[in-house]
Amino acid sequence: MTPVVADSARVQVAGFLDALVTVYIIIIIAWVVASLVFSLGVRVPYSRPLNAVLDFLRDCTEPYLRLFRRLPLRVGPLDLTPMVAIIVLAVGGNLVVNIVHG
């Protein structure tokens, strides 16, 4: 492979990883907002599309957030787990993107 093609591939992979981290952060934020809305007592009538979206958000975020739920990140009724998880993901993702980018 020529150096120009290799550099182009690295830039594309770095861009893909950056987009992937950004989308995952957005998914975590969407799950936090949905959880907050339902914890405030808002009840939406049964809706299959809404349940599918909520199930998707929960299934995508819970494995990652579970890693941080072991830490004592609750302050009264406030759970700081998603905030810490987003910060770790942003810093770690940025570090990986910079390493791949060169």
Side-chain angles (χ1 to χ4, degrees):
M1 229 193 289
T2 63
V4 174
V5 174
D7 288 341
S8 174
R10 287 173 54 173
V11 169
Q12 288 180 352
V13 169
F16 176 76
L17 289 174
D18 188 38
L20 188 65
V21 168
T22 302
V23 167
Y24 200 69
I25 288 173
I26 291 170
I27 289 173
I28 292 172
I29 291 171
W31 174 245
V32 168
V33 169
S35 297
L36 179 66
V37 166
F38 286 122
S39 71
L40 292 175
V42 175
R43 297 287 179 221
V44 179
Y46 181 75
S47 168
R48 291 183 92 174
L50 179 63
N51 281 344
V53 169
L54 292 175
D55 288 345
F56 170 77
L57 291 174
R58 184 191 66 239
D59 292 345
C60 285
T61 58
E62 277 306 311
Y64 180 65
L65 292 177
R66 197 175 307 128
L67 297 171
F68 296 96
R69 294 209 196 277
R70 298 176 188 159
L71 303 173
L73 296 173
R74 290 191 178 257
V75 179
L78 185 62
D79 185 13
L80 301 176
T81 303
M83 189 172 13
V84 172
I86 288 173
I87 291 170
V88 169
L89 183 63
V91 171
N94 193 14
L95 182 67
V96 170
V97 167
N98 287 335
I99 289 172
V100 170
H101 192 272

